[in-house]
Amino acid sequence: MVKLNKIYTRTGDKGQTGLGDGTRVAKHDLRVAAYGTVDETNAAIGLTQCHAKGDMKLLLTRVQNDLFDVGADLCTPDQYAPPFPPLRVTSSQVEFLEKRIDEFNADLESLRSFILPGGTQLSAHLHMARTIARRAERLISKLVEGAPSHLETLRYMNRLSDLLFVSARKANSNGSQDVLWVPGANR
């Protein structure tokens, strides 16, 4: 369990940070960028929760907890052999998201066009979190090229962005308040 008594340590004052195995890397390292963007996703979901209620709020809380697992997974390099197994994202976490996506999507109107992010406040915030999750996914996909143990993490972030998309549609009265893209409308 993590115990933080002091928030600043001064160990990062020269542009380096520590990974889960103790290795020091630049703060702009791909691995740090990936888990930093997962942290941004988590913060965006925290903001989104301010507009959510009931089951949606509970779902977002569960996702936030999982995103800390994602961060823990990403901050631990493949080569690390600790005395205990590193925390890795599991297929059951991905499957949970898939089940929620299927449940939400069953109630949605079929899409006839791409959707403009927006509608209700909750939907707009879910779309913002989705775009940040997609950015994290792009960074993780680059990281996975040399770190195959993070494949479930990549799958998780891919499903999470899908879940946030269908959740945004659900927050728009099951899609009836979606604002559809009209190609070339302003030519």
Side-chain angles (χ1 to χ4, degrees), residues 56-68:
M56 180 67 75
K57 193 170 189 84
L58 293 173
L59 173 62
L60 293 174
T61 299
R62 179 175 175 151
V63 165
Q64 283 192 292
N65 195 79
D66 280 353
L67 286 174
F68 266 84

Side-chain angles (χ1 to χ4, degrees), residues 18 21-23 32 35 55 70 77 110 113 127 131-132 134-135 145 149 156-157 159 165 170 174 176 186:
D21 66 353
T23 303
V32 178
Y35 68 70
D55 289 342
V70 169
S110 295
S113 178
H127 278 296
T131 63
I132 299 168
R134 283 284 189 212
R135 182 161 33 96
E145 287 179 355
S149 70
Y156 183 90
M157 292 305 293
R159 293 315 178 283
F165 178 77
K170 187 170 182 63
N174 285 333
S176 66
N186 299 313

Side-chain angles (χ1 to χ4, degrees), residues 3-52:
K3 182 177 179 182
L4 300 173
N5 290 326
K6 193 171 183 179
I7 299 304
Y8 65 90
T9 62
R10 297 186 176 112
T11 59
D13 288 353
K14 293 183 180 175
Q16 299 252 312
T17 191
L19 298 179
D21 66 353
T23 303
R24 303 292 295 172
V25 297
K27 289 188 177 191
H28 61 269
D29 184 84
L30 176 61
R31 183 176 297 281
V32 178
Y35 68 70
T37 307
V38 168
D39 191 34
E40 285 181 59
T41 304
N42 207 336
I45 291 173
L47 180 60
T48 301
Q49 279 195 321
C50 295
H51 304 282

Side-chain angles (χ1 to χ4, degrees), residues 118-137:
T120 65
Q121 275 194 323
L122 176 57
S123 179
H125 283 287
L126 286 161
H127 278 296
M128 179 59 77
R130 173 187 58 79
T131 63
I132 299 168
R134 283 284 189 212
R135 182 161 33 96
E137 180 186 358

Side-chain angles (χ1 to χ4, degrees), residues 104-105 107-112 115-116 118-120 123 127 165-180:
F104 288 0
N105 207 37
D107 296 332
L108 297 175
E109 296 179 14
S110 295
L111 283 173
R112 302 176 312 279
I115 296 173
L116 301 181
T120 65
S123 179
H127 278 296
F165 178 77
V166 296
S167 296
R169 295 200 65 217
K170 187 170 182 63
N172 275 342
S173 300
N174 285 333
S176 66
Q177 289 184 277
D178 286 339
V179 180
L180 300 180

